[in-house]
């Protein structure tokens, strides 16, 4: 067992089976095709493959992989897929596994983007889009609520820690609702405050850690492909705690700053990111498609997922040390509740983007389905889409 914990540069972990790249391509591609339901589904399928069925990775090592990838910004389940493949075949495995995991959902979401963002789509398509978009705000609230128990437990039992937790969450919610593109500054500030409290970080450490998010949070001054790449980079490198935290970042850039799409089209983009197999980050491909067509969608996806590959390939050998770093843990303890607040807060601008009275009824129904009945996101969005088609067919406004 000890040999399995030895890292071999470029080859992943030593002591385990050497899995062929063809096998990785086939199995990770299969998960990419059937991984509807978001990160919980992706993690379950990867565990079933790597731990239970093939026994390539020990159960405790797989759990360590989940914990390690959750320390990183970006889509955690995608990073876990890349990390698992890296574990088996190093750099080549990470590239093959990651690409085959991502591509099926990317192809599907771009095809749907072409249908939903067409210049004159059929009436039923416009209705389905308006209906599914109506439910997105409820999905955001449900996503935030699902993260609360683990984050609350992480804060600890001490009363001051729990008061700080609530303060971080409130700050994140207000920031997501009011200051969109600068949200990341609030997330990082919450993490730094917790570092200062728990680990006694000095002013020099705070200055070193705060410089990069100021630059990254700034809206791009350029236009065209460079602006699109900048937006995608922010999405891929700054999505702490889950894909939904990128929504206010993207909405401000795509709708308000660059005018690539309308509020309604952005809601459709988020809905498509939820109903396709793959991470919510793939929403950026729809934004890219709206900006410059298929080429823009592919560029946005490539830039957004690039940080995940880099984090795993270059950080994989150091994950054990990263997990054991008290300042990293303190930072995540502070940033985590701010992320939860931000995800919940993003529901406000998403709901305000709705244009017709019947859409608020669909939003209420979706909230009951998700939060009271505790049913799945995919069924909520599909059901909302069906209601939208019915609304269109009976003559209610959908555009």
């Amino acid at each position: 067992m000890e040999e399995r914990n030895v890292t071999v540069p470029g080859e992943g972990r030593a002591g385990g089976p050497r899995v062929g790249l063809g096998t990785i391509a086939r199995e990770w591609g299969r998960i990419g095709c059937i991984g509807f339901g978001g990160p919980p589904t992706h993690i379950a399928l990867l565990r079933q493959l790597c731990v239970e069925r093939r026994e390539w990775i020990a159960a405790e090592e797989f759990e360590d992989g989940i914990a390690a990838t959750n320390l990183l910004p970006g889509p955690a389940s995608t990073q876990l897929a890349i990390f698992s493949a890296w574990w088996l075949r190093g750099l080549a495995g990470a590239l093959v596994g990651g690409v085959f995991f991502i591509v099926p959902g990317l192809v599907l979401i771009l095809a749907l983007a072409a249908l939903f963002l067409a210049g004159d789509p059929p009436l039923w398509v416009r209705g389905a889009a308006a209906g599914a978009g109506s439910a997105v705000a409820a999905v955001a609230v449900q996503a935030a609520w699902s993260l609360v128990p683990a984050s609350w437990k992480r804060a600890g039992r001490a009363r001051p820690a729990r008061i700080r937790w609530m303060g971080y969450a409130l700050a994140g919610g207000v920031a997501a609702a009011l200051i969109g593109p600068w949200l990341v500054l609030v997330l990082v500030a919450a993490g730094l405050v917790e570092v200062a409290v728990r680990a006694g970080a000095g002013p020099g450490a705070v200055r070193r850690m705060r410089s990069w998010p100021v630059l990254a949070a700034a809206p791009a001054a350029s236009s065209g492909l460079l602006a699109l790449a900048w937006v995608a980079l922010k999405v891929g490198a700054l999505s702490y705690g889950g894909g939904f935290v990128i929504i206010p970042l993207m909405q401000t850039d795509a709708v308000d700053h660059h005018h690539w799409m309308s509020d309604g089209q952005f809601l459709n983009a988020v809905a498509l990111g939820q109903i396709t197999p793959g991470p919510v980050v793939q929403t950026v491909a729809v934004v890219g498609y709206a900006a410059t067509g298929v080429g823009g969608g592919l560029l946005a996806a490539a830039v957004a997922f690039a940080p995940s590959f880099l984090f795993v390939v270059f950080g994989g050998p150091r994950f054990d040390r990263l997990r054991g770093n008290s300042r990293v843990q303190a930072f995540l303890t502070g940033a985590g509740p701010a992320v939860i607040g931000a995800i919940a807060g993003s529901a406000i601008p998403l709901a305000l983007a709705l244009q017709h009275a019947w859409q608020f009824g669909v939003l209420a129904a979706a909230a009951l389905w998700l939060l009271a009945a505790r049913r799945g996101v995919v069924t909520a969005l599909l059901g909302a889409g069906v209601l939208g088609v019915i609304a269109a067919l009976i003559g209610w406004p959908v555009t």
Side-chain angles (χ1 to χ4, degrees):
M1 180 66 69
E2 188 65 28
E3 289 184 355
R4 291 179 65 89
N5 292 326
V6 176
T7 300
V8 180
E11 293 294 334
R13 298 274 180 155
R18 185 174 178 82
V19 180
L21 293 178
T23 300
I24 291 175
R26 183 182 68 251
E27 295 293 348
W28 268 248
R30 179 182 62 85
I31 293 174
C33 289
I34 66 174
F36 294 90
T41 300
H42 304 155
I43 292 171
L45 290 171
L46 286 166
R47 180 187 286 111
Q48 183 183 62
L49 169 67
C50 296
V51 177
E52 299 171 5
R53 186 156 58 89
R54 296 296 190 105
E55 297 183 347
W56 288 329
I57 302 174
E60 58 272 20
E61 291 174 336
F62 187 82
E63 296 304 318
D64 286 345
I66 296 175
T69 51
N70 274 303
L71 295 176
L72 303 173
S77 61
T78 300
Q79 289 168 345
L80 180 63
I82 298 169
F83 182 64
S84 300
W86 171 84
W87 195 292
L88 300 176
R89 280 297 299 268
L91 174 60
L95 293 175
V96 171
V99 167
F100 276 82
F101 176 79
I102 292 167
V103 164
L106 178 60
V107 170
L108 180 57
I109 202 170
L110 286 175
L112 290 173
L115 176 64
F116 279 79
L117 300 181
D120 187 22
L123 179 62
W124 72 268
V125 171
R126 284 181 278 143
S134 303
V136 168
V139 174
V141 174
Q142 188 266 354
W145 182 252
S146 69
L147 296 173
V148 168
S151 180
W152 182 254
K153 180 179 179 181
R154 181 179 189 136
R157 295 180 176 274
R159 185 176 180 182
R162 293 195 165 181
I163 291 174
R164 291 197 305 275
W165 189 99
M166 290 185 282
Y168 300 146
L170 178 62
V174 171
L178 299 179
I179 59 173
W182 302 99
L183 167 64
V184 68
L185 297 182
V186 176
L187 305 184
V188 173
L192 292 179
V193 169
E194 195 65 19
V195 169
V197 171
R198 291 181 178 248
V206 172
R207 283 195 299 269
R208 286 192 299 271
M209 294 180 69
R210 76 186 181 192
S211 59
W212 65 268
V214 173
L215 176 64
S222 59
S223 60
L225 293 179
L226 184 59
L228 178 60
W230 183 251
V231 172
L233 181 62
K234 289 192 290 182
V235 166
L238 302 177
S239 53
Y240 288 100
F244 247 100
V245 78
I246 67 174
I247 299 305
L249 296 175
M250 279 197 296
Q251 186 173 21
T252 300
D253 282 330
V255 177
D256 301 327
H257 186 66
H258 295 293
H259 308 291
W260 290 326
M261 57 203 320
S262 66
D263 278 320
Q265 289 174 326
F266 183 78
L267 289 173
N268 298 343
V270 178
L272 292 179
Q274 287 287 319
I275 65 173
T276 50
V280 181
V281 170
Q282 287 190 149
T283 302
V284 77
V286 186
V287 173
Y289 181 90
T292 61
V294 174
L298 294 174
L299 172 66
V303 174
F305 284 112
S308 294
F309 284 94
L310 295 175
F311 287 146
V312 171
V313 170
F314 291 102
R318 301 172 180 84
F319 276 167
D320 291 340
R321 281 183 290 170
L322 183 65
R323 289 191 62 216
N325 187 298
S326 61
R327 291 188 177 184
V328 170
Q329 295 296 332
F331 180 88
L332 294 171
T333 300
V339 165
I340 293 171
I343 295 171
S346 70
I348 295 175
L350 291 172
L352 292 176
L354 301 180
Q355 298 177 328
H356 308 296
W358 67 267
Q359 291 182 293
F360 290 95
V362 174
L363 173 59
L368 290 174
W369 181 262
L370 292 166
L371 300 173
R374 297 186 179 183
R375 306 302 290 269
V377 169
V378 174
T379 53
L381 290 169
L382 292 177
V386 171
L387 292 176
V389 172
I390 295 172
L393 294 179
I394 64 177
W396 289 356
V398 294
T399 56

